[in-house]
Amino acid sequence: VQLVESGGGSVQPGGSLRLSCTASGSIYSQYCMGWFRQAPGEDREGVAVINRFSDVKFYRDRVKDRFTISRDNSKNTVYLQMDSLKPEDTAMYYCAGDYTFRANWGRPDAYKYWGQGTQVTVS
């Protein structure tokens, strides 16, 4: 499975961006998908996760009510809608996928497949 992110960019505080992650491979629909971010000098942290059926979603507390994760299995794509962006949201954003939905969804080692990342800058 290959994952390719897009949609990053620069935005002013309070603005919005929508990230997309498109997967190759026909079994994408069986995977749970997560979004992570990593700021310079910091650990990679889970931002949101969605299960294969889109009926279970979790968010990191600091993005709850501002970010929305969704997926379109017909397009092999997962999205992260980011609203009310803050300077502290500045980071490289990565999508990740794995067959198993784990309780430790916010840890990088819970995912087998990773994209290359897309930069988000809020200033």
Side-chain angles (χ1 to χ4, degrees):
V1 176
Q2 289 187 324
L3 305 177
V4 179
E5 302 97 334
S6 62
S10 296
V11 64
Q12 293 183 341
S16 298
L17 285 173
R18 188 176 81 154
L19 306 183
S20 300
C21 171
T22 301
S24 62
S26 59
I27 61 174
Y28 156 84
S29 62
Q30 300 178 29
Y31 284 11
C32 71
M33 299 297 296
W35 282 99
F36 282 73
R37 66 186 181 187
Q38 187 169 20
E42 297 187 11
D43 293 334
R44 190 171 297 191
E45 63 178 16
V47 174
V49 65
I50 186 168
N51 74 338
R52 53 190 284 195
F53 302 114
S54 300
D55 58 351
V56 177
K57 303 174 186 179
F58 293 116
Y59 297 91
R60 178 166 292 273
D61 284 347
R62 71 185 70 176
V63 306
K64 203 173 293 184
D65 299 327
R66 298 190 297 122
F67 290 10
T68 303
I69 190 170
S70 62
R71 67 190 295 166
D72 185 340
N73 288 345
S74 69
K75 297 181 179 179
N76 278 15
T77 300
V78 61
Y79 304 97
L80 186 68
Q81 177 67 41
M82 305 186 295
D83 298 318
S84 302
L85 282 162
K86 304 176 180 180
E88 52 264 43
D89 295 318
T90 295
M92 184 72 78
Y93 282 71
Y94 301 88
C95 71
D98 199 275
Y99 188 78
T100 303
F101 193 111
R102 294 180 171 84
N104 59 342
W105 64 268
R107 291 177 54 90
D109 57 8
Y111 299 84
K112 182 175 182 180
Y113 302 104
W114 289 88
Q116 294 300 307
T118 184
Q119 178 68 37
V120 171
T121 302
V122 185
S123 64

